[in-house]
Amino acid sequence: MSQNESVPFIEPPVEFVGQATISGMDAYRALCAEAARDYPGYWARLAREHVIWKKPFTQVLDEANAPFFKWFADGTLNVSYNCLDRNIEGGLGDKVAIISETDDGQVRRVSYQELLAQVSQLANGLRAQGIGKGDRVIIYMAMGIEGVVAMQACVRIGAIHSVVFGGFSAQSVRDRINDAGAVAVITTDEQCRGGKTLPLKLAVDEGIALGGCESIKTVIVFRRTGGACAMVAGRDLWWDAVIAGQSEVCAPEWVDAEHPLFLLYTSGSTGKPKGVQHSSGGYLLHAILTMKWTFDLKPQDRFWCTADIGWVTGHTYVAYGPLACGGTQMIFEGVPTYPDAGRFWKMIEDHRITIFYTAPTAIRSLIKAADTLRSSPRRITIFHRCACLEPLASRSILPPGCGITRTLAAVAARSSILSGRPKPEAT
């Protein structure tokens, strides 16, 4: 957007501003002023207030090897602990952590206590396979609770995950295995999208067969549809077999704040995919703050980010941010136009979603269906905040008083860029 381009400003309602975590421009300017006065001290305060540390940090920002900055380098933590255990210890064990709706409309709900149990069982299963701190694990799964479980289980034991979008090819899987030196793949027999089943395990097999994947020792397969898939003896294991008999308690691996949390690769549309490594402490703090500041998440909210976990937006605003804030979130396996273009609105109404974060392509498809939706008995009236990766061309699909947040992000950026660059003056 050019500096000369006119951007309309919509004044938020006074009552909306009053209840916000950052309540108005005066509060925002106060944060910026604090950062300008003492930049390291500003981030140190926030890190101590919002993140649980096993060993508190004494170093804040290490600029000795700029531009390779280190944050909170001598502190130790575990991101999974910050997402799950801390909420249970805070009395939220029975709170719904994730509502999951499949492509065909089946709904599951898991509480924080249940989610921790599932994560711990898989984490123990991974350890039993010899996977541990520093190992790379490829995750190639459908959108669902198990995808988040797989990511959290890796983090719990200090393994470094690299999620591959389920729509990518066997070649893409192979390239990421090869570049990361992954020791394991966690995948699904098939995924369901738009009423169709798409094989994922087959793509993994084809990718490994292309060569250069000798580092892979284990392939774990979650049975989503029950569709037929070949299992290689000595390498492939069913998810159920991996977790069978495993304890629902798994001690977290405490890691340095700069320990790699995940690798995420660019799509490769402009050349060879480039892997971007994200560290644990700084990433977690940024995820928490943007959930609280940008999306203004409150305990009673139900949050839905429609991004796939294969993208960084899905990492920050599905797998980590909402859970680290003790929120309740929605995960959807399918597409917005199946069985019809009202699917998103129906789900928002059915699951009482209050914060909706989606992509411009989805919004445009819903705008096209706005006339039909206006005459529908399921016209949305309940959600009060909508966020989008571009400005909305029309507000006609939104209920009166609904706030709109525009965010900017990149494929491998850690989260919404507009909401938090490394320095406040760069926002």
Side-chain angles (χ1 to χ4, degrees), residues 210-230:
L210 291 172
C213 300
E214 292 75 16
S215 59
I216 292 294
K217 307 301 180 186
T218 307
V219 176
I220 297 171
V221 185
F222 175 72
R223 202 188 308 266
R224 165 64 183 91
T225 66
C229 62

Side-chain angles (χ1 to χ4, degrees), residues 148-391:
V148 175
V149 168
M151 296 169 75
Q152 289 278 343
C154 288
V155 171
R156 196 162 189 85
I157 62 174
I160 303 160
H161 63 69
S162 183
V163 182
V164 182
F165 172 54
F168 281 172
S169 67
Q171 182 70 53
S172 297
V173 175
R174 180 265 170 206
D175 290 346
R176 286 154 178 77
I177 290 173
N178 176 267
D179 191 77
V183 301
V185 177
I186 304 176
T187 189
T188 308
D189 55 357
E190 296 175 322
Q191 65 175 333
C192 300
R193 289 176 67 84
K196 301 176 182 178
T197 57
L198 306 169
L200 294 187
K201 172 57 164 62
L202 176 61
V204 171
D205 291 341
E206 292 175 347
I208 293 175
L210 291 172
C213 300
E214 292 75 16
S215 59
I216 292 294
K217 307 301 180 186
T218 307
V219 176
I220 297 171
V221 185
F222 175 72
R223 202 188 308 266
R224 165 64 183 91
T225 66
C229 62
M231 299 291 283
V232 177
R235 187 197 71 182
D236 298 354
L237 299 167
W238 291 108
W239 176 296
D240 290 344
V242 171
I243 67 172
Q246 296 294 343
S247 170
E248 294 183 353
V249 176
C250 178
E253 182 77 31
W254 303 105
V255 299
D256 295 340
E258 283 291 322
H259 178 76
L261 180 65
F262 62 85
L263 288 169
L264 191 61
Y265 287 80
T266 58
S267 63
S269 58
T270 58
K272 181 182 177 181
K274 302 168 184 65
V276 179
Q277 179 175 287
H278 296 260
S279 59
S280 299
Y283 172 85
L284 178 64
L285 176 60
H286 196 61
I288 291 171
L289 290 179
T290 51
M291 283 299 307
K292 293 181 177 181
W293 290 357
T294 305
F295 299 106
D296 201 37
L297 186 74
K298 298 294 196 302
Q300 70 275 15
D301 279 320
R302 290 192 171 188
F303 178 79
W304 183 13
C305 170
T306 65
D308 191 280
I309 56 171
W311 308 116
V312 73
T313 309
H315 282 56
T316 307
Y317 301 121
V318 177
Y320 295 114
L323 298 176
C325 294
T328 295
Q329 67 165 314
M330 180 81 207
I331 294 179
F332 177 45
E333 180 184 43
V335 296
T337 54
Y338 177 80
D340 57 55
R343 182 68 180 269
F344 272 11
W345 301 127
K346 181 179 185 301
M347 291 174 60
I348 289 169
E349 188 83 13
D350 288 350
H351 302 296
R352 312 300 293 170
I353 303 301
T354 58
I355 306 174
F356 181 54
Y357 184 33
T358 193
T361 50
I363 287 289
R364 291 186 191 109
S365 69
L366 297 176
I367 289 173
K368 290 178 181 178
D371 290 339
T372 302
L373 294 174
R374 268 195 291 271
S375 61
S376 166
R378 304 203 71 90
R379 173 68 173 159
I380 301 306
T381 58
I382 60 166
F383 76 91
H384 57 270
R385 289 191 292 286
C386 175
C388 184
L389 291 169
E390 288 182 8

